[in-house]
Amino acid sequence: MSKMLIFHHSDLDGMGVKIVAIRAAQLQEMEYETFKCNYTDVNEIVRERLSKGLAGVTDIVLGDISVDADTAVILDETCSCHDVNLILRDHHATAEHLNMYDWALVREHKDGTPYCGTWLLAEVFPEVADEFQAFIQTVDDWDTWKWTKNGNNTAKDLNALFQVIGEERFTEYILRLYEGTITDPAQLFNSWAASIVEAHDLFVEKTARNCENSMWTMDVKVPLKQNTYKTGVIFANNDLSDIANIILAKHPELDILMIMSYPKTISYRTRKSLDIPLGDLAQMVTGKGGGHPQSVGSTISAKVFSKTFERTLKTMSGNLKGLEFNNLKQNGE
């Protein structure tokens, strides 16, 4: 039996890519393997799987995630040698260099309208696009922030369900749900899923209030830009977009919300059309980063965090009656 390899991002859009590709494989009676990737490990994951050989593999799909130039060359040459059908669909502008390949389509907008990775991949599989239309549209509304303009709270609820139950159970739930007929986004939630979303929303509202009460604010000036960006800073590790949406809605004076998720990431959110892409700001802050015009993430290394944390503790120790903090190490080191 032929096999499809599916590489996808870790957020809701990435789950949409995974589910669309799995359904396409099922309709063609193919086996499949799936690989969850983040911006920091996608090249390593792709190369490692290729190194294991492509016996029986006839299709490789990458969606809502892209590879660097070197890995793209390896993919192109390997798939050509093994006669593997390669498909990459992404909507992040930072990956537009891959459009040089006939197997890649990286596009943020179509006719002026933004579309997510799930939507782009579904174009490749019309039968799946037709069957899963309600799911695909809901994922697209969430990932492109259309839901904030059209009031589609179903999109917010779908992301909440995914955040609570996780990748495997979410994938199983959606595929099993579609064993019936789904024609309306509201049908994506049975009574079990609806109760989970309700509990999640209560938790997020409480967390957002706590973050708001402890929020710091600062003015950010960017070189070569005349504007100053009023920026809020909060600390959170989960439900970042939900929390940011609540806080930004209550604080229209904020241009940017920075969300510190130590020890790995800093995320950035806005509801405004700024004269600087958030991805550029992320690059300036940490040297890494990417995403969408209103939603961006960047990675900070454990080394940078450790130095920052150690410097903070040493500063504190000068004011705490001679206390000292030495030999700081991360758990497991």
Side-chain angles (χ1 to χ4, degrees), residues 233-237 240 258-262 265-267 285 300:
V233 182
I234 64 171
F235 296 82
N237 283 344
L240 306 188
M258 293 179 64
I259 309 169
M260 319 295 283
S261 302
Y262 284 127
T265 62
I266 304 176
S267 299
V285 174
I300 53 177

Side-chain angles (χ1 to χ4, degrees), residues 144-202:
T144 62
W145 289 68
K146 294 189 186 90
W147 74 276
T148 61
K149 298 177 181 178
N150 61 26
N152 182 11
N153 286 328
T154 302
K156 178 178 71 68
D157 292 344
L158 189 66
N159 183 66
L161 180 64
F162 161 59
Q163 294 295 331
V164 173
I165 67 177
E167 176 185 355
E168 296 305 323
R169 294 186 70 183
F170 183 79
T171 302
E172 180 183 352
Y173 171 79
I174 295 297
L175 290 172
R176 182 178 298 171
L177 196 67
Y178 268 93
E179 291 176 359
T181 301
I182 303 295
T183 58
D184 187 281
Q187 295 176 290
L188 294 171
F189 302 88
N190 58 23
S191 58
W192 170 78
S195 65
I196 288 177
V197 170
E198 182 179 4
H200 172 268
D201 287 348
L202 292 173

Side-chain angles (χ1 to χ4, degrees), residues 113-126:
T113 301
Y115 289 101
C116 71
T118 300
W119 193 93
L120 290 173
L121 183 64
E123 284 191 312
V124 182
F125 304 109

Side-chain angles (χ1 to χ4, degrees), residues 210-225:
N210 292 338
C211 290
E212 181 186 15
N213 290 337
S214 59
M215 181 171 65
W216 294 38
T217 59
M218 62 182 177
D219 293 326
V220 175
K221 295 182 179 180
V222 178
L224 304 180
K225 296 290 183 181

